[in-house]
Amino acid sequence: MKRRLTAAIGIAGMIVSVAACGSDNDGKGAADAKELTVWLTVDAQNNWPELVKSADAAVVKKHPGLKIKHEYYGWPDKNTKLDAVLATDKAPDVVEMGNTEMLGYMVKGAFAPLDATKFAKSADWLDGLKASVTYQGKTYGVPYYAGGRVASWRKDVAASAGVKAVPKTYDELTADLNKIQKKKGGKFSAWYQPSRDWYAAMSFVYDAGGAIAKESGGQWKASLSSPESLKGLTEYKTVLDTYMHGDKTKDESDRPIVFGQGKSAMIFGAAWEGATAADPKNDKVGGLKDKLENFVMPGPSGKNMPVFLGGSDLAVPVKSKAQGLAAEWINAFTGPSGQKGLMGKGNLPNNKSDLATLKNDPATAVPATAAESSWFVPMAPGWGQVEKAQILQTMLQNIGTGKQTPAAAAKQADAAIDKVINTK
């Protein structure tokens, strides 16, 4: 999953490597470690270096003489570097991964199992993040922080159509969008929703009680053709037919740019997208920043729409020679003080109790409330192949363009998913 950091919500990346003597996950040999090498992406370097220093200090205090060094990487370079190092005898001891990057490494046995009870508030981890570090019943990582999805619309456009407040229910939303669409005309997208955006589409599926795939007896089977999933896909098609008047073969990659051009009234996407659209270099509307309002996306079910939670996790490579020390550093970095610091930077925490505190602040209430209901991809060994083949995107484009009915497209997607989802 591609991530970027803004003042709203971002996803950072970090890898911590330990060049040390032998250890295991229970901490044996940690006292023998002499050096801790920390690899971070530039997100952490630029935005919360003091939190890294605080974690370092906590570990050094417990292990006097330990030296901690840091290197910084961009997201495109991180995994290439990690893959190269994991193939040697100098594997890192802690790596930070985007949560959607975890599965492939867990399937390959690259990460060591961790005792979740040893990490702060592990029983309270956000569902979407907890799922990302869990494979075949074992925990292989610790959630770091999260990034959710919200709806964002233009208050000025809504007001021009007689809409005075953000909708609280899905019926209110569609009624408001109908007014906006009628006011602005057919070439304008009351809701700009790229057909291939599977993160949004699957929110409809999960809201309807469906799922991409389900596991039974150790085997995964695609379930997009289930009545529940088809209900969600059919509603998604209704949205595309009614409000999306842009190119229905596109994905969401340039959605903030399109939104900033003033061609739509609303988007449903990552929380940073509205801010990106309002950036002066993208704002073709003029003063867009003051015209935007975020709100929790209501679902057709009557509940808040379950959203895909992006985020970052910290894991310990199985080749680590100081697994116990690595776990200590992770706990120091993701513990209460670390979470407080991350929230202060505009991020969502890794746990529900801290998330609840953000609901009391108008500046963070919307993303915090939205993140309470989430879904995550099937933690199946072949999920990476499903993503690589863009099976969901193809299905959604066929639905959006009318090439196939939701039922026919879902049946074809299920068949394609079933061919690879259980294959390592």
Side-chain angles (χ1 to χ4, degrees), residues 13-24:
M14 174 176 41
I15 302 171
V16 180
S17 169
V18 182
C21 296
S23 177
D24 62 22

Side-chain angles (χ1 to χ4, degrees), residues 64-403:
L66 177 68
K67 295 182 179 180
I68 302 180
K69 299 188 299 183
H70 299 276
E71 298 177 15
Y72 295 90
Y73 297 88
W75 275 104
D77 307 321
K78 178 179 67 68
N79 285 7
T80 299
K81 176 69 173 179
L82 175 60
D83 291 345
V85 173
L86 288 178
T88 72
D89 61 354
K90 297 181 179 180
D93 291 272
V94 179
V95 296
E96 193 204 347
M97 310 290 294
N99 63 345
T100 59
E101 298 171 341
M102 284 288 293
L103 182 57
Y105 288 85
M106 293 191 294
V107 169
K108 294 175 182 177
F111 297 149
L114 300 173
D115 182 352
T117 64
K118 293 185 177 181
F119 298 93
K121 298 186 177 181
S122 59
D124 211 22
W125 285 341
L126 298 180
D127 294 339
L129 295 188
K130 181 178 180 180
S132 73
V133 299
T134 306
Y135 181 64
Q136 295 185 339
K138 294 184 178 182
T139 300
Y140 289 92
V142 177
Y144 175 8
Y145 68 104
R149 292 172 179 261
V150 301
S152 181
W153 77 3
R154 287 177 53 184
K155 294 182 291 184
D156 59 327
V157 174
S160 72
V163 178
K164 298 181 180 180
V166 296
K168 301 299 183 182
T169 68
Y170 191 74
D171 286 343
E172 290 179 2
L173 173 65
T174 54
D176 292 344
L177 291 174
N178 288 340
K179 294 177 182 178
I180 292 171
Q181 194 65 65
K182 182 178 180 180
K183 175 73 175 181
K184 298 296 289 185
K187 293 184 178 181
F188 184 86
S189 294
W191 176 353
Y192 182 77
Q193 180 53 58
S195 301
R196 291 172 65 88
D197 177 12
W198 64 278
Y199 297 109
M202 293 305 105
S203 286
F204 279 86
V205 167
Y206 282 90
D207 179 71
I212 299 171
K214 294 185 177 181
E215 186 268 341
S216 178
Q219 290 291 302
W220 288 84
K221 186 171 179 55
S223 57
L224 292 166
S225 294
S226 72
E228 296 82 3
S229 294
L230 282 178
K231 182 179 180 181
L233 290 173
T234 299
E235 184 58 35
Y236 184 68
K237 176 174 172 54
T238 298
V239 167
L240 298 177
D241 290 346
T242 308
Y243 309 118
M244 171 58 179
H245 300 290
D247 184 349
K248 292 182 180 178
T249 67
K250 294 183 65 175
D251 63 19
E252 70 279 12
S253 59
D254 67 344
R255 178 166 48 203
I257 306 301
V258 175
F259 195 35
Q261 291 172 343
K263 298 180 179 180
S264 65
M266 176 187 134
I267 58 174
F268 170 46
W272 51 260
E273 292 189 37
T276 300
D279 187 293
K281 68 176 179 292
N282 299 322
D283 179 9
K284 307 304 180 183
V285 175
L288 184 57
K289 178 180 179 181
D290 297 324
K291 297 173 182 177
L292 294 183
E293 185 171 11
N294 293 338
F295 58 95
V296 178
M297 182 69 182
S301 67
K303 301 177 181 179
N304 291 341
M305 185 80 85
V307 298
F308 176 84
L309 278 187
S312 281
D313 302 321
L314 294 164
V316 180
V318 72
K319 286 187 176 182
S320 167
K321 298 176 182 178
Q323 293 180 18
L325 181 60
E328 287 183 36
W329 194 93
I330 292 174
N331 204 23
F333 192 62
T334 62
S337 61
Q339 292 299 306
K340 183 178 180 180
L342 288 167
M343 290 189 291
K345 298 293 184 178
N347 303 296
L348 294 182
N350 67 2
N351 66 88
K352 297 174 184 177
S353 54
D354 284 335
L355 186 72
T357 66
L358 295 180
K359 294 173 63 178
N360 299 322
D361 184 344
T364 54
V366 169
T369 301
E372 288 182 317
S373 177
S374 62
W375 63 271
F376 199 65
V377 299
M379 297 302 284
W383 176 252
Q385 296 184 58
V386 175
E387 286 204 37
K388 184 178 181 180
Q390 298 193 355
I391 295 171
L392 295 180
Q393 292 94 322
T394 299
M395 174 189 71
L396 295 170
Q397 181 174 321
N398 288 343
I399 291 173
T401 59
K403 183 177 180 179

Side-chain angles (χ1 to χ4, degrees), residues 13-15 37-50 52-53 56 69-75 77-78 81:
M14 174 176 41
I15 302 171
T37 299
V38 180
W39 298 355
L40 304 139
T41 64
V42 291
D43 294 333
Q45 179 185 28
N46 296 336
N47 296 284
W48 47 82
E50 71 280 9
V52 178
K53 291 180 180 178
D56 291 350
K69 299 188 299 183
H70 299 276
E71 298 177 15
Y72 295 90
Y73 297 88
W75 275 104
D77 307 321
K78 178 179 67 68
K81 176 69 173 179

